[in-house]
Amino acid sequence: MYLKKLSLINFRNFLNEEAEFGNFINLFIGKNAQGKTNLLESIYCCSFGKSFRTKRDKDLVNYNSSYYSIRAWVESLEGSFEVKLTYDRNREAKEAYINGIKCKNLSQMIGKIKIVIFYPDHLFIVKGSPAARRKYLDGQMILGIPTYYHYFSRYQNILRNRNTLLKDVKNTDIWVWEEQLARYGAKIIIQRMKVVEILSRIVSEIYSCLTEGQWVLKMEYKASLKNASILMEEEEIKKAFLRELEKNRDRDRKLGFTTVGPHRDDISFFLNGKPIRDFGSQGQQRLAVLALKLAEAEFIKKNTGESPILLLDDVMSELDAEKRRLFFQMLSSSQAFITAADSGILLDKFLKNVYLWEIIDGTIKKISRIREDL
Ligand SMILES: Nc1ncnc2c1ncn2[C@@H]1O[C@H](COP(=O)(O)OP(=O)(O)OP(=O)(O)O)[C@@H](O)[C@H]1O
Ligand SMILES: [Mg+2]
């Protein structure tokens, strides 16, 4: 899949810009605060219907305007299509259009453009809280597995009900909720374990390539349910979960919440067998996140047959020259939008077949169509 053309009106510091992109690597050079991340953000909005930087759409509207409009023309295996997203600050109205036809619901446009984004803040996936990591994983699961969202939201509702009943000591119906919690919880655990295992295999290959075989990165699903394993059947996990819920009921009553279940699970990252969170250098941790993002892209490609578009913000500053070379080699089949504040990267000899752009104060300028060797 690739983005052929983008038109931005009053989006952040872009007043009225239009650009046609190359279907391989597009490298955007620009000093700080010129609009590089804003550009990636606009593409992201066309895929997810919201920004990755703010929850408030009004922040995305240019200071001197009352609305924004983003139009993206995309080529995919299913043919070409156009996505348009608009927001009117006065009416507080966000609208999406596919091929000019208004979507009844914003969810109709979400994920139509397949995107994987790397943003420096994503270091939280390795270093942040288990809750943040679970949120990240669930986001991936919802995008990759059509039934997941249903199970996930059922589970959340049932969990809320059990937690409420925990406070009502006289109530004897709590087992009804536990039965359901175990049923949906088992589905979530087994699906998450499978996805983490697939991602772990891909990420490990990518990390090895980027470090020329020196380092092995592995991901592991850490279930709060003791002895839960990918080798177990869903029914077995359900029974084990139900037993734990019954066993922990008194403790849970005292604490006022459910202490076991997928809502308490986590993912761990190991580099050459050691937790990267505690032992990895800053560079190794950043590289792990980048490898994970490339693995996500590969996972989407495997599931859908289509390579997603990569949005890689300020990724070059994370890598030394040798890793940059290996990284560019890896971006073989995807369209990528890469931003860099440091124009020193242009001296990299391996930088060939790249569309070069410059972002200056909210304008997108093409420097050269395809860069030839230096
Ligand atoms: N709603 C808005 N309207 C107009 N300008 C905005 C709006 N929101 C942010 N900006 C401006 O956009 C600029 C920041 O753009 P962006 O974050 O894309 O910078 P960048 O090129 O990625 O810089 P860096 O290299 O520092 O990351 C700032 O100058 C900011 O004032
Ligand atoms: Mg930026």
Side-chain angles (χ1 to χ4, degrees):
M1 170 170 289
Y2 78 95
L3 178 63
K4 259 190 323 197
K5 187 170 143 187
L6 184 74
S7 146
L8 301 176
I9 298 174
N10 300 329
F11 184 88
R12 296 271 198 194
N13 64 339
F14 294 102
L15 295 182
N16 190 351
E17 283 296 301
E18 201 170 277
E20 284 189 40
F21 303 110
N23 59 4
F24 185 41
I25 294 173
N26 294 274
L27 180 60
F28 298 85
I29 308 285
K31 295 195 178 123
N32 294 131
Q34 301 302 304
K36 300 181 298 297
T37 306
N38 293 347
L39 174 72
L40 301 192
E41 189 179 31
S42 70
I43 302 171
Y44 183 95
C45 284
C46 270
S47 170
F48 290 91
K50 61 177 185 187
S51 164
F52 57 89
R53 294 208 278 190
T54 174
K55 287 196 173 94
R56 292 180 302 267
D57 273 287
K58 59 178 173 19
D59 293 358
L60 306 175
V61 178
N62 182 268
Y63 301 143
N64 301 316
S65 178
S66 60
Y67 77 100
Y68 74 69
S69 162
I70 316 166
R71 285 173 83 184
W73 287 264
V74 175
E75 279 298 334
S76 78
L77 291 176
E78 292 166 14
S80 15
F81 63 92
E82 183 209 324
V83 172
K84 179 170 146 189
L85 188 71
T86 63
Y87 176 77
D88 185 317
R89 185 157 47 193
N90 297 332
R91 292 191 294 124
E92 290 188 13
K94 185 150 65 174
E95 286 165 2
Y97 299 77
I98 296 173
N99 293 332
I101 298 166
K102 190 172 161 188
C103 298
K104 285 202 186 83
N105 202 308
L106 206 63
S107 62
Q108 279 178 279
M109 60 86 74
I110 296 174
K112 190 133 177 62
I113 306 180
K114 292 185 175 47
I115 277 181
V116 169
I117 183 163
F118 172 90
Y119 184 55
D121 280 4
H122 286 154
L123 196 58
F124 82 84
I125 301 172
V126 169
K127 297 205 65 167
S129 68
R133 253 187 307 281
R134 274 194 303 273
K135 196 170 169 201
Y136 159 76
L137 179 62
D138 286 328
Q140 297 312 307
M141 304 285 301
I142 289 167
L143 285 178
I145 300 174
T147 51
Y148 188 79
Y149 183 70
H150 171 70
Y151 298 142
F152 178 72
S153 53
R154 290 287 298 140
Y155 182 85
Q156 298 294 336
N157 282 336
I158 300 162
L159 180 66
R160 262 193 298 277
N161 287 332
R162 183 181 190 262
N163 285 347
T164 308
L165 284 191
L166 282 173
K167 286 159 199 138
D168 182 359
V169 198
K170 289 194 196 96
N171 194 300
T172 52
D173 288 344
I174 198 163
W175 62 271
V176 180
W177 296 108
E178 286 173 356
E179 220 281 322
Q180 289 201 43
L181 200 63
R183 172 143 55 100
Y184 288 102
K187 288 183 192 302
I188 291 175
I189 294 171
I190 203 99
Q191 288 189 340
R192 280 191 191 160
M193 278 179 168
K194 284 183 182 158
V195 166
V196 168
E197 203 198 47
I198 298 170
L199 277 177
S200 177
R201 244 182 286 137
I202 311 174
V203 90
S204 160
E205 223 172 89
I206 293 173
Y207 203 93
S208 276
C209 275
L210 287 171
T211 57
E212 299 194 294
Q214 273 189 48
W215 296 91
V216 179
L217 179 69
K218 290 229 161 87
M219 284 168 83
E220 236 175 71
Y221 188 74
K222 270 177 42 193
S224 55
L225 184 65
K226 271 181 239 136
N227 304 326
S229 129
I230 197 163
L231 301 171
M232 286 161 84
E233 297 289 327
E234 188 181 313
E235 194 55 31
E236 268 182 276
I237 293 188
K238 181 188 155 186
K239 281 185 185 148
F241 189 10
L242 194 54
R243 273 197 304 276
E244 280 295 298
L245 286 169
E246 285 165 1
K247 198 175 95 191
N248 290 334
R249 202 182 286 155
D250 287 341
R251 187 180 68 165
D252 289 359
R253 278 200 200 280
K254 278 190 202 118
L255 293 169
F257 64 92
T258 304
T259 49
V260 175
H263 62 288
R264 307 272 293 170
D265 294 355
D266 197 359
I267 323 167
S268 302
F269 292 83
F270 296 94
L271 194 58
N272 284 6
K274 292 209 165 52
I276 192 167
R277 184 195 160 103
D278 304 317
F279 296 102
S281 74
Q282 178 106 328
Q284 286 174 324
Q285 290 171 346
R286 289 186 186 282
L287 197 65
V289 177
L290 180 60
L292 181 62
K293 293 289 162 177
L294 296 178
E296 252 177 55
E298 197 53 40
F299 182 62
I300 293 176
K301 190 178 165 191
K302 277 199 165 103
N303 274 343
T304 65
E306 187 118 61
S307 294
I309 299 166
L310 297 172
L311 305 180
L312 306 168
D313 196 29
D314 212 9
V315 70
M316 294 304 146
S317 61
E318 320 266 334
L319 309 173
D320 57 40
E322 182 52 18
K323 292 212 177 44
R324 285 207 291 268
R325 183 182 69 76
L326 294 163
F327 170 70
F328 268 93
Q329 261 174 17
M330 258 184 173
L331 299 174
S332 53
S333 59
S334 308
Q335 185 190 33
F337 291 78
I338 304 175
T339 65
D342 179 8
S343 56
I345 186 185
L346 297 177
L347 297 173
D348 283 343
K349 294 263 193 306
F350 56 85
L351 211 64
K352 289 182 216 163
N353 297 337
V354 168
Y355 285 64
L356 277 181
W357 303 84
E358 192 171 13
I359 307 273
I360 308 170
D361 196 14
T363 60
I364 310 171
K365 278 196 182 147
K366 198 182 277 180
I367 306 179
S368 72
R369 199 172 126 73
I370 292 185
R371 156 153 174 173
E372 303 300 338
D373 204 356
L374 286 168

